[in-house]
Structures are given as structure tokens and as C-alpha cells.
Amino acid sequence: MAKKKTIDFEALLKNINADFPTYQALDQDGNVVNEALVPDLSDEELVDLMTRMVWSRVLNERSTALNRQGRLGFFAPTAGQEASQLASHFAFEKEDVLLPGYRDVPQLIQHGLPLKEAFLWSRGHVAGNLYPESLKALPPQIIIGAQYVQAAGVALGLKKRNKPNVAITYTGDGGSSQGDFYEAINFAGAYKANAVFYIQNNGFAISTPREKQSAAHTLAQKAVAAGIPGIQVDGMDPLAVYTVSKMAREWSVAGNGPVLIETLTYRYGPHTLSGDDPTRYRTKDMDNEWELKDPLIRFRKYLEAKGIWSEEKEQEIIDATKEEIKAAVAEADKVPKQKVSDFLKSMFEVQPQSIKEQIEFYEAKESK
């Protein structure tokens, strides 16, 4: 009797994994390795993008110092992720709606949030969450992955109103393990909503290594289950990140539904400055390996070869950014401190007696 043909499950896995290569335009030395992924950006636009990335690195350094001085509240370091964050955002429009996570403050500021308000948000001040209607964004989401669900709803709203715009949102590799992640991409895919979802795979969900989070060969392939395109890109390569992002936006705006983009990147610092110690779960060799892929070094070499960047120009941007930050902190310091009585007054339109008594109690304390 002939033996029945068996199903080769290993082959099935290999076939899926083969569909998700890592897209790259520049190698770590700034050399073009894929001309097709080099975007048609003018010299001025390339300089603008590099300026934003340098600005972000300085913002990270100064925010870290301000946090340690007790002049800033919550802060999630961004150094190493400048290409993943700023080159992706560079591909979108001001009318596109940004739904950031707590590490995505640089994109939010570039989208239009004044730096002063960003510092107030970090301090937990309500004034840091009062956005004008012209700013197409929501405040950074603290709940891991929750911004994905919000983005799916915003994206459907854009589609139903026939807006030529998309919702943009980011999470980390750990966020892609959350239920909100799957619910959002599935919902957006089912309704062909206008969205571009990012997984910034920086290797660790706080201290949990990527390989212990999922058996998937890539995180981009999680898009398959939602019936949407998924793509993995070198997140330390600003040109590749920009090109893939631009193409994803065009695809989604055309009515084809959402796209999931995984950027392979790295955060040099701790998960946040709230007690995390990366030396407990990352080796120095790992840090050194990723520092060789630094997005600023890579892009700097590319621009210098084109003759449109210099050490002097970069220093001017660094100095200007430090002054900008100094002025924004001074402005944030002038904002009146929050009062418990004000929070209580916001709880009810008509105050019950118990709240009135608490308001009187705290107003008496606050007047001293």
C-alpha cells in the first residue's frame, strides 16, 4: 500500500520567512547598496532630514540631563532610533494624524507640538495635553499598544470622510505581542482603513529579548494574519525607512488599506529613565555592534560624499538645538503649577457636596 504524502510543515515555515527580507538602501558606511530604494529627495530635503535627526539626538541628550537634574519627568530615550522615527515621519503630511507612543515625542514635536508642551507633558502637567485642532495628533500613549487601536479608529474615520490622509502609529517589538496590536491591524485591514503601522523593533521589550517574545522569524510577517502587507526595513537606514514609508502612505491613501512596517533599530539607552538598567540584560559587545550601524554616522557619510554636509554645519545645529531647548524649559517653568483643587473642580459639572468639601479643604492648604 502506497504511503500517503505527508505535509511538510518545516517547508511551510521556510516559505513564509522567505517573503520578508530586510530592505536597505545604505550600508553602515553610507554606501548605496540598493539604488531602487534611494528616494528622489532634493539636497535641501536631505539636509532637512539630517537636521531633524541631529536635533533629535541632542534632544535625547539634554532631556536625559534635565531628568537627572529633576527638571523633567518621565522620559524614554530615543538615541539610536532617529532614522526609524524621523525618517519615517518625514514621509508624511501635516494633515496625516499621528498617534505616538511614549518614545515617539520627537515625531510629535516635528508634527507641530511646541517643545514647551512636550516638556510639560513629560512633567505630567495637563497643559502638555491641550492640543489645538490644527495639530493632527493625540498625546503619547502610555499603555503599551493602545495607540494601535486608536489609530485603527482614526484611520477608518479618515476613509469614511474621503480624506487623502492616513493615521500613523508606532509601537515597539514588545507592543506587537499585545492583543491591541492584533485587534487594530485586523480591524483596519478588514475595513481597508487609511493607516501605516510601525513596529520599532529595538531588540528588547524593556528587558525581554526579541527572540523570547515570538517564534515568528520577523515581526513584519504578523501582517499576514490580518491580510495586509508587511515589510521589514533596516531601521538604522534613513533612506530606506523614508522610501518604504512614502510608498506605504501612497498605497494606503489610494484606498488599498493599511501597511505594517517593522524597522530594525536599537535604543542605546535604557527603556526609560525610571529605573531600568540595560547593563543587566545587554552586553557591551551588543552595544558596540549596533553603534557601528548608527543612523547619524551612516547618513553623515552619505551626505558628506555628496558635498552637502560638514562638521561645522552639524555643530551649528547642535548649538541652535541646545538654545531652543533652554528657551523651552524656561517657558515651561513659567507655567503655573497644578493644584489638587483644580483637578477636583474638573471632576463634575455640578459638584456634589463631598467634592465641594474637598475643594475647600485643598484651597485652604494651597493659599498658605
mmCIF file with all atom_site columns, all heavy atoms in Angstrom, residues 24-35:
data_model
loop_
_atom_site.group_PDB
_atom_site.id
_atom_site.type_symbol
_atom_site.label_atom_id
_atom_site.label_alt_id
_atom_site.label_comp_id
_atom_site.label_asym_id
_atom_site.label_entity_id
_atom_site.label_seq_id
_atom_site.pdbx_PDB_ins_code
_atom_site.Cartn_x
_atom_site.Cartn_y
_atom_site.Cartn_z
_atom_site.occupancy
_atom_site.B_iso_or_equiv
_atom_site.pdbx_formal_charge
_atom_site.auth_seq_id
_atom_site.auth_comp_id
_atom_site.auth_asym_id
_atom_site.auth_atom_id
_atom_site.pdbx_PDB_model_num
ATOM 1  N N   . GLN A 1 24 ? 17.105 47.635 2.472  1.00 0.00 ? 24 GLN A N   1
ATOM 2  C CA  . GLN A 1 24 ? 18.190 48.542 2.857  1.00 0.00 ? 24 GLN A CA  1
ATOM 3  C C   . GLN A 1 24 ? 18.650 49.327 1.647  1.00 0.00 ? 24 GLN A C   1
ATOM 4  O O   . GLN A 1 24 ? 18.764 48.781 0.546  1.00 0.00 ? 24 GLN A O   1
ATOM 5  C CB  . GLN A 1 24 ? 19.358 47.740 3.442  1.00 0.00 ? 24 GLN A CB  1
ATOM 6  C CG  . GLN A 1 24 ? 20.514 48.572 3.960  1.00 0.00 ? 24 GLN A CG  1
ATOM 7  C CD  . GLN A 1 24 ? 21.702 47.717 4.393  1.00 0.00 ? 24 GLN A CD  1
ATOM 8  O OE1 . GLN A 1 24 ? 22.301 47.042 3.568  1.00 0.00 ? 24 GLN A OE1 1
ATOM 9  N NE2 . GLN A 1 24 ? 22.022 47.747 5.680  1.00 0.00 ? 24 GLN A NE2 1
ATOM 10 N N   . ALA A 1 25 ? 18.901 50.621 1.843  1.00 0.00 ? 25 ALA A N   1
ATOM 11 C CA  . ALA A 1 25 ? 19.431 51.465 0.771  1.00 0.00 ? 25 ALA A CA  1
ATOM 12 C C   . ALA A 1 25 ? 20.901 51.795 0.996  1.00 0.00 ? 25 ALA A C   1
ATOM 13 O O   . ALA A 1 25 ? 21.694 51.820 0.065  1.00 0.00 ? 25 ALA A O   1
ATOM 14 C CB  . ALA A 1 25 ? 18.624 52.759 0.670  1.00 0.00 ? 25 ALA A CB  1
ATOM 15 N N   . LEU A 1 26 ? 21.271 52.071 2.280  1.00 0.00 ? 26 LEU A N   1
ATOM 16 C CA  . LEU A 1 26 ? 22.641 52.417 2.639  1.00 0.00 ? 26 LEU A CA  1
ATOM 17 C C   . LEU A 1 26 ? 23.230 51.384 3.587  1.00 0.00 ? 26 LEU A C   1
ATOM 18 O O   . LEU A 1 26 ? 22.542 50.930 4.505  1.00 0.00 ? 26 LEU A O   1
ATOM 19 C CB  . LEU A 1 26 ? 22.688 53.781 3.347  1.00 0.00 ? 26 LEU A CB  1
ATOM 20 C CG  . LEU A 1 26 ? 22.238 55.027 2.590  1.00 0.00 ? 26 LEU A CG  1
ATOM 21 C CD1 . LEU A 1 26 ? 22.283 56.235 3.523  1.00 0.00 ? 26 LEU A CD1 1
ATOM 22 C CD2 . LEU A 1 26 ? 23.106 55.273 1.363  1.00 0.00 ? 26 LEU A CD2 1
ATOM 23 N N   . ASP A 1 27 ? 24.493 51.025 3.371  1.00 0.00 ? 27 ASP A N   1
ATOM 24 C CA  . ASP A 1 27 ? 25.152 50.173 4.351  1.00 0.00 ? 27 ASP A CA  1
ATOM 25 C C   . ASP A 1 27 ? 25.659 51.035 5.491  1.00 0.00 ? 27 ASP A C   1
ATOM 26 O O   . ASP A 1 27 ? 25.483 52.256 5.490  1.00 0.00 ? 27 ASP A O   1
ATOM 27 C CB  . ASP A 1 27 ? 26.274 49.338 3.709  1.00 0.00 ? 27 ASP A CB  1
ATOM 28 C CG  . ASP A 1 27 ? 27.433 50.177 3.168  1.00 0.00 ? 27 ASP A CG  1
ATOM 29 O OD1 . ASP A 1 27 ? 27.544 51.368 3.547  1.00 0.00 ? 27 ASP A OD1 1
ATOM 30 O OD2 . ASP A 1 27 ? 28.223 49.650 2.366  1.00 0.00 ? 27 ASP A OD2 1
ATOM 31 N N   . GLN A 1 28 ? 26.307 50.440 6.482  1.00 0.00 ? 28 GLN A N   1
ATOM 32 C CA  . GLN A 1 28 ? 26.691 51.195 7.666  1.00 0.00 ? 28 GLN A CA  1
ATOM 33 C C   . GLN A 1 28 ? 27.801 52.209 7.401  1.00 0.00 ? 28 GLN A C   1
ATOM 34 O O   . GLN A 1 28 ? 28.067 53.080 8.238  1.00 0.00 ? 28 GLN A O   1
ATOM 35 C CB  . GLN A 1 28 ? 27.102 50.258 8.792  1.00 0.00 ? 28 GLN A CB  1
ATOM 36 C CG  . GLN A 1 28 ? 28.355 49.443 8.542  1.00 0.00 ? 28 GLN A CG  1
ATOM 37 C CD  . GLN A 1 28 ? 28.585 48.448 9.665  1.00 0.00 ? 28 GLN A CD  1
ATOM 38 O OE1 . GLN A 1 28 ? 27.680 47.750 10.096 1.00 0.00 ? 28 GLN A OE1 1
ATOM 39 N NE2 . GLN A 1 28 ? 29.818 48.390 10.152 1.00 0.00 ? 28 GLN A NE2 1
ATOM 40 N N   . ASP A 1 29 ? 28.422 52.127 6.212  1.00 0.00 ? 29 ASP A N   1
ATOM 41 C CA  . ASP A 1 29 ? 29.448 53.096 5.842  1.00 0.00 ? 29 ASP A CA  1
ATOM 42 C C   . ASP A 1 29 ? 28.906 54.194 4.937  1.00 0.00 ? 29 ASP A C   1
ATOM 43 O O   . ASP A 1 29 ? 29.672 55.010 4.406  1.00 0.00 ? 29 ASP A O   1
ATOM 44 C CB  . ASP A 1 29 ? 30.613 52.382 5.143  1.00 0.00 ? 29 ASP A CB  1
ATOM 45 C CG  . ASP A 1 29 ? 31.353 51.443 6.083  1.00 0.00 ? 29 ASP A CG  1
ATOM 46 O OD1 . ASP A 1 29 ? 31.590 51.856 7.238  1.00 0.00 ? 29 ASP A OD1 1
ATOM 47 O OD2 . ASP A 1 29 ? 31.673 50.314 5.678  1.00 0.00 ? 29 ASP A OD2 1
ATOM 48 N N   . GLY A 1 30 ? 27.587 54.217 4.756  1.00 0.00 ? 30 GLY A N   1
ATOM 49 C CA  . GLY A 1 30 ? 26.973 55.264 3.952  1.00 0.00 ? 30 GLY A CA  1
ATOM 50 C C   . GLY A 1 30 ? 27.019 55.025 2.462  1.00 0.00 ? 30 GLY A C   1
ATOM 51 O O   . GLY A 1 30 ? 26.743 55.946 1.673  1.00 0.00 ? 30 GLY A O   1
ATOM 52 N N   . ASN A 1 31 ? 27.345 53.808 2.042  1.00 0.00 ? 31 ASN A N   1
ATOM 53 C CA  . ASN A 1 31 ? 27.387 53.480 0.622  1.00 0.00 ? 31 ASN A CA  1
ATOM 54 C C   . ASN A 1 31 ? 26.024 52.971 0.151  1.00 0.00 ? 31 ASN A C   1
ATOM 55 O O   . ASN A 1 31 ? 25.352 52.229 0.868  1.00 0.00 ? 31 ASN A O   1
ATOM 56 C CB  . ASN A 1 31 ? 28.438 52.398 0.351  1.00 0.00 ? 31 ASN A CB  1
ATOM 57 C CG  . ASN A 1 31 ? 29.828 52.824 0.786  1.00 0.00 ? 31 ASN A CG  1
ATOM 58 O OD1 . ASN A 1 31 ? 30.274 53.922 0.446  1.00 0.00 ? 31 ASN A OD1 1
ATOM 59 N ND2 . ASN A 1 31 ? 30.511 51.979 1.541  1.00 0.00 ? 31 ASN A ND2 1
ATOM 60 N N   . VAL A 1 32 ? 25.632 53.368 -1.053 1.00 0.00 ? 32 VAL A N   1
ATOM 61 C CA  . VAL A 1 32 ? 24.365 52.907 -1.612 1.00 0.00 ? 32 VAL A CA  1
ATOM 62 C C   . VAL A 1 32 ? 24.489 51.448 -2.022 1.00 0.00 ? 32 VAL A C   1
ATOM 63 O O   . VAL A 1 32 ? 25.387 51.071 -2.781 1.00 0.00 ? 32 VAL A O   1
ATOM 64 C CB  . VAL A 1 32 ? 23.948 53.763 -2.828 1.00 0.00 ? 32 VAL A CB  1
ATOM 65 C CG1 . VAL A 1 32 ? 22.690 53.192 -3.475 1.00 0.00 ? 32 VAL A CG1 1
ATOM 66 C CG2 . VAL A 1 32 ? 23.716 55.207 -2.410 1.00 0.00 ? 32 VAL A CG2 1
ATOM 67 N N   . VAL A 1 33 ? 23.592 50.614 -1.510 1.00 0.00 ? 33 VAL A N   1
ATOM 68 C CA  . VAL A 1 33 ? 23.595 49.185 -1.848 1.00 0.00 ? 33 VAL A CA  1
ATOM 69 C C   . VAL A 1 33 ? 22.343 48.779 -2.622 1.00 0.00 ? 33 VAL A C   1
ATOM 70 O O   . VAL A 1 33 ? 22.272 47.673 -3.143 1.00 0.00 ? 33 VAL A O   1
ATOM 71 C CB  . VAL A 1 33 ? 23.714 48.320 -0.565 1.00 0.00 ? 33 VAL A CB  1
ATOM 72 C CG1 . VAL A 1 33 ? 25.075 48.510 0.083  1.00 0.00 ? 33 VAL A CG1 1
ATOM 73 C CG2 . VAL A 1 33 ? 22.603 48.622 0.423  1.00 0.00 ? 33 VAL A CG2 1
ATOM 74 N N   . ASN A 1 34 ? 21.373 49.674 -2.688 1.00 0.00 ? 34 ASN A N   1
ATOM 75 C CA  . ASN A 1 34 ? 20.163 49.400 -3.457 1.00 0.00 ? 34 ASN A CA  1
ATOM 76 C C   . ASN A 1 34 ? 19.651 50.725 -4.013 1.00 0.00 ? 34 ASN A C   1
ATOM 77 O O   . ASN A 1 34 ? 18.944 51.463 -3.327 1.00 0.00 ? 34 ASN A O   1
ATOM 78 C CB  . ASN A 1 34 ? 19.097 48.726 -2.589 1.00 0.00 ? 34 ASN A CB  1
ATOM 79 C CG  . ASN A 1 34 ? 17.883 48.280 -3.384 1.00 0.00 ? 34 ASN A CG  1
ATOM 80 O OD1 . ASN A 1 34 ? 17.660 48.723 -4.516 1.00 0.00 ? 34 ASN A OD1 1
ATOM 81 N ND2 . ASN A 1 34 ? 17.075 47.407 -2.797 1.00 0.00 ? 34 ASN A ND2 1
ATOM 82 N N   . GLU A 1 35 ? 20.009 51.014 -5.251 1.00 0.00 ? 35 GLU A N   1
ATOM 83 C CA  . GLU A 1 35 ? 19.656 52.292 -5.876 1.00 0.00 ? 35 GLU A CA  1
ATOM 84 C C   . GLU A 1 35 ? 18.150 52.492 -5.953 1.00 0.00 ? 35 GLU A C   1
ATOM 85 O O   . GLU A 1 35 ? 17.649 53.631 -5.876 1.00 0.00 ? 35 GLU A O   1
ATOM 86 C CB  . GLU A 1 35 ? 20.260 52.363 -7.283 1.00 0.00 ? 35 GLU A CB  1
ATOM 87 C CG  . GLU A 1 35 ? 20.215 53.739 -7.906 1.00 0.00 ? 35 GLU A CG  1
ATOM 88 C CD  . GLU A 1 35 ? 21.114 54.750 -7.204 1.00 0.00 ? 35 GLU A CD  1
ATOM 89 O OE1 . GLU A 1 35 ? 22.262 54.403 -6.883 1.00 0.00 ? 35 GLU A OE1 1
ATOM 90 O OE2 . GLU A 1 35 ? 20.644 55.886 -6.977 1.00 0.00 ? 35 GLU A OE2 1
#
